[in-house]
Every structure is written in C-alpha cells, then in structure tokens.
Amino acid sequence: MTASSSNFFDVVVIGAGAAGMMCALEAGKRGRSVLIIDHSPSAGDKIRISGGGRCNFTNTNTAPKNFLSQNPRFCISALSRYTQHDFIKLVESYGIAYHEKTLGQLFCDGSAKQIIEMLVAEMRRHGVEMRLGTAVKRVEHRVDGGFRIAMASGDVVCRSLVIASGGKSIPKMGATGFGYEIAEQFGLKLVETRPGLVPLTFDPAMLERLAPLSGIAVDAVAKHGKTSFAEAMLFTHRGLSGPAILQISSYWREGDEITLAMLPGTDVFAALKAAKADRGKQALGTVLATLLPKRLAQLIAEEEKGPGNLADLSDKALRRIEAAINAWRVKPLGSEGYRTAEVTLGGVDTNELDSKTMEAKHVPGLYFIGEVVDVTGWLGGYNFQWAWSSGWVAGQAA
C-alpha cells in the first residue's frame, strides 16, 4: 500500500462526533495523514444539543465507578491516560469560560458550539481533512492489511480505520447501528444494546391515576437493587423523567421494580406523628402539602382513603403513608426508547479490544471508540469524558 495516491490516508475516522474529532486531531498531531467522515452535514451534532445547548463537557469527579460495562475495568486505562483535567486544560487554552453546575458537572458559560469550534480548529491546525454530508457505503479489508472505504464521492484507502459512529440513541439526529454492523462484519462480538439515560413509562392505568401530577418535580432518591441516585425527579404525561430517573434507567430492566423516596432524609412518620399531636384536626392532604407539592400531597391523601383528619389516623396508617412517600415501589412499563435516550448501553464487546489503544485484538488497524463500545457513563458529563479519553488513546496508536 503506497502513500502516493491522493485517496490514501494513514488514518480514516468514521464519525465526526466527540470521540472521532478527538481521535482525528490527536492522530494529526503525530504527523499522520487523517480523514474524518460523517454522513451528517455538520460536525458534533450531539455536542451542539447537549446540556441544553451549553455542553456538559466533562465531570470533575470522573472515575471508573461512574461507568457501566460488562468489564468494569476496561475503561481504567483510557480514563487515567487522558483525564478530565487534561480536557479542561484544552478548553481553558481556547479561553472558553465554563462553570460547575452540580455534582462536578462542567458546562460552557456560552454555547456548546464553542467546544465544536475548538475541536474543528485543532483538527485544521494538525492537517485533518474533513468530509461532511458523506455516507459510507461499505468498508472492505484489503489483502495487504489496510482498508478501503467506499463512498458516493469515490473510494479512499487507509492503514488504520477508526469507528466513532456512536450508538442508536436519538435517531432523528441521524444515529444508526452502522458501528455495530462494521464490528460484526469483522467478527467482533457485541453486547446487547438498549437505551440508556432515558425516561421511564407507565401503563395506561397508572398514567390515568398519576395524570394530575404531570409537570411536578421533586428531589428524590431512585433505587434499583443496590444502586441509587439522589437527584431531581419529574412526573410526565408518559411516566417519570428527571436526572434521578435517567440515571437509574441504565440499571433498570423490563419487568423490574424501582423504589422511590420523594422526601429523602425526612423521617415522614415522625413528622406526621408530631403534626398529629399539634394539629390533629387538620386534613391529611393539608399537612402533607407542607412537605410535598400540593397536587402530589393531595393524591397521596386521597389514595390513603382513611379518615379525613390526621388525629383519626392510626400509627399503622401513618407508616403506610410514609411508605407511599419514601418507599414507593413502582414497576415501569418500559422506557421512551432510543428516541429520547441520551446514550446507548452495550455495544462492541470490550473483550474484543485492547484497552490501551482501542484496537481490535484480531483485526490490526481497526479501532472502535466512544459510544459504540460497551462503556456507558452516568448522566453528568461522563460520556463526553469517555469520548475524549477513548478518542485520545486511539489517536496515539492509529
């Protein structure tokens, strides 16, 4: 394979998202000839819409424990070699102002477009060629070990091929299963994919019962098994959303229950006992409304169906009310699916990849990075950090 042809590149990256652009600019820094391709007419589409348009670009608390994978240790190498602090330095070098919102989440003060512009500028600076609005028709493994990428605009040949095409989440933005198809084409195993960081839905009967609560938000603890998240929860016309629900959705499976505490840190039984002693003639709904949003308090009071006044409620009844508030066991019907999922769980089996380079163990020169791999972060900038870290390590090797 010679480098004389204009359609030859040392590295071709398919996918101009966070991971792909990071990989391309790092490979370019090493003096490699690099082409990055994306079927979208613009680069970094998911970056642009993330964080409400401000891009939650990393998390200061990033650690392996914040990621889900069948092999929880796989992410350690990449995350330790290119850390959140490394990316923050890059952001600061471009004078991009940012702030910490909550729980270590860093957001741009201005637009998410600043992050895209920074990455594009870095790619240009290091000679990366970018072809947007360009769909890949097929990928072939050449006899001499390289790869041929067929596109409508013509074929290109490369020594190293990096798949950074993302997962299935948010198909209206062009998300497809392309990366998984390439993995299977080259004999790599996949971990079953499913929507992650996604709102959960209820059956029609439950929706009818909870209809008055749509739009109400509470600080809650959502729990599944031994995993729990303390963040905001939102009642919707489809079910439940908000950060606490998105987080727990990555652990939840169809048919499972989740347990919700809507007054975490409050001894509801003690509060009700004290209220019963002090103002026993008040209605249960009135007392609960001092602790919870009025509509939620009213619904819980109505479902108790006990005597009207607090004074008439037994300790057993108060315990039942406490459980309805802080140990609400609910079985979602499903999730809103890839349409609104922020990430795709599962993907290319990490046992197929070298954790230090992201290269396929049995296909030299083929790399998989970012969301297409079976590594999924929590909500809060963790998935972007995985994109930066996995892209960086592949960029050192491809």
Side-chain angles (χ1 to χ4, degrees):
M1 185 163 50
T2 66
S4 59
S5 172
S6 61
N7 71 346
F8 170 83
F9 293 87
D10 291 319
V11 183
V12 169
V13 180
I14 300 177
M21 287 193 283
M22 176 59 82
C23 177
L25 71 88
E26 285 297 325
K29 277 184 190 177
R30 294 170 48 234
R32 310 283 274 166
S33 56
V34 183
L35 170 67
I36 188 167
I37 304 165
D38 202 297
H39 63 88
S40 171
S42 53
D45 287 344
K46 273 196 174 180
I47 297 175
R48 182 170 41 79
I49 67 161
S50 67
R54 290 184 184 268
C55 187
N56 179 193
F57 58 82
T58 193
N59 194 300
T60 59
N61 299 319
T62 300
K65 68 179 177 65
N66 307 120
F67 295 84
L68 291 80
S69 173
Q70 283 200 350
N71 177 4
R73 296 186 60 79
F74 179 83
C75 64
I76 293 173
S77 178
L79 293 173
S80 62
R81 289 176 61 208
Y82 189 84
T83 71
Q84 59 270 39
H85 309 295
D86 294 317
F87 191 76
I88 291 166
K89 280 180 192 171
L90 177 61
V91 169
E92 289 175 344
S93 75
Y94 272 76
I96 298 171
Y98 64 89
H99 61 278
E100 181 178 336
K101 198 170 179 183
T102 55
L103 304 170
Q105 302 171 54
L106 300 187
F107 289 78
C108 296
D109 286 358
S111 168
K113 291 177 184 175
Q114 292 175 288
I115 299 295
I116 300 170
E117 289 163 1
M118 173 188 78
L119 295 167
V120 169
E122 282 288 289
M123 288 194 295
R124 285 189 180 133
R125 182 179 160 203
H126 297 293
V128 175
E129 183 178 330
M130 187 157 49
R131 295 186 195 174
L132 301 175
T134 302
V136 172
K137 295 198 288 189
R138 68 182 178 280
V139 172
E140 298 170 359
H141 203 183
R142 286 165 55 96
V143 177
D144 59 5
F147 301 88
R148 180 180 296 278
I149 298 96
M151 301 171 288
S153 57
D155 296 0
V156 294
V157 173
C158 62
R159 281 197 182 91
S160 296
L161 175 62
V162 183
I163 306 299
S165 53
K168 299 176 183 175
S169 54
I170 320 184
K172 71 178 180 182
M173 295 189 67
T176 69
F178 174 83
Y180 311 127
E181 292 165 16
I182 297 298
E184 289 185 309
Q185 176 187 332
F186 286 94
L188 279 70
K189 292 176 186 167
L190 298 177
V191 173
E192 182 185 4
T193 57
R194 59 193 179 86
L197 300 179
V198 64
L200 298 176
T201 58
F202 290 148
D203 62 56
M206 176 82 91
L207 285 179
E208 185 177 354
R209 180 187 141 206
L210 300 179
L213 305 184
S214 184
I216 289 176
V218 293
D219 287 329
V221 172
K223 187 175 181 184
H224 177 273
K226 294 180 179 178
T227 304
S228 63
F229 292 94
E231 292 193 60
M233 178 180 84
L234 174 70
F235 289 90
T236 75
H237 64 287
R238 292 191 183 94
L240 294 173
S241 189
I245 297 301
L246 299 187
Q247 296 278 37
I248 211 67
S249 74
S250 293
Y251 294 82
W252 173 83
R253 299 284 196 285
E254 282 77 359
D256 290 355
E257 277 188 339
I258 57 173
T259 304
L260 301 166
M262 294 180 285
L263 279 173
T266 299
D267 186 333
V268 175
F269 178 74
L272 291 176
K273 280 282 279 185
K276 180 178 174 180
D278 295 343
R279 42 205 165 104
K281 290 185 178 179
Q282 283 193 337
L284 173 60
T286 303
V287 174
L288 288 180
T290 65
L291 301 169
L292 293 163
K294 187 175 180 181
R295 280 181 285 159
L296 178 56
Q298 208 58 48
L299 185 72
I300 292 169
E302 287 169 7
E303 293 200 341
E304 169 51 32
K305 294 176 182 171
N309 293 341
L310 203 58
D312 300 324
L313 292 172
S314 65
D315 280 4
K316 185 177 180 182
L318 295 182
R319 290 285 185 197
R320 203 161 55 240
I321 295 159
E322 176 185 49
I325 294 169
N326 271 349
W328 179 29
R329 294 159 66 99
V330 60
K331 188 182 286 188
L333 175 68
S335 79
E336 290 192 8
Y338 290 117
R339 184 180 64 82
T340 58
E342 296 205 9
V343 291
T344 303
L345 291 150
V348 177
D349 192 326
T350 56
N351 289 326
E352 302 280 1
L353 306 175
D354 183 326
S355 64
K356 293 181 174 63
T357 63
M358 306 303 292
E359 186 176 21
K361 291 176 180 176
H362 306 297
V363 189
L366 181 62
Y367 299 77
F368 291 84
I369 59 174
E371 189 182 353
V372 74
V373 179
D374 175 34
V375 175
T376 306
W378 290 358
L379 186 72
Y382 297 105
N383 287 294
F384 272 130
Q385 188 56 48
W386 171 245
W388 315 135
S389 297
S390 62
W392 186 91
V393 297
Q396 310 312 305

